[in-house]
Amino acid sequence: KRISLVQGIDIELNFERSCLRIIKKKGYIENKKCDVALEKANEIGKIIGGLNKYYYESISEENKIAKNN
């Protein structure tokens, strides 16, 4: 459940990044403001990536323990 939640958040974040790039390209937002928003989205992406890795590794570890028992 946690992995699917984190993956869902990652999908939404990628959609937001795409929207920001389109908005920037069409000139609806200043370049500097868009760059700041994209930097913040990238930081959030790093956090999401870390959570994804953590949950994936914990599930892998649980599967190894279950196979040994």
Side-chain angles (χ1 to χ4, degrees):
K1 287 185 177 183
R2 290 181 181 160
I3 287 181
S4 62
L5 177 64
V6 173
Q7 287 174 341
I9 293 169
D10 190 39
I11 290 167
E12 291 290 329
L13 185 60
N14 286 330
F15 176 73
E16 183 177 324
R17 285 182 185 137
S18 297
C19 290
L20 282 169
R21 288 186 190 104
I22 291 168
I23 290 170
K24 180 180 178 180
K25 185 176 179 181
K26 296 219 179 237
Y28 297 134
I29 190 172
E30 295 174 11
N31 286 340
K32 185 168 180 153
K33 288 183 180 181
C34 186
D35 291 342
V36 170
L38 286 170
E39 285 177 24
K40 295 200 183 273
N42 288 336
E43 288 297 318
I44 295 169
K46 290 177 186 177
I47 294 168
I48 297 300
L51 285 172
N52 216 355
K53 181 178 178 184
Y54 171 78
Y55 288 129
Y56 178 76
E57 288 176 356
S58 66
I59 287 176
S60 295
E61 192 65 33
E62 289 173 8
N63 289 339
K64 287 179 187 176
I65 292 170
K67 286 182 182 179
N68 290 335
N69 290 330

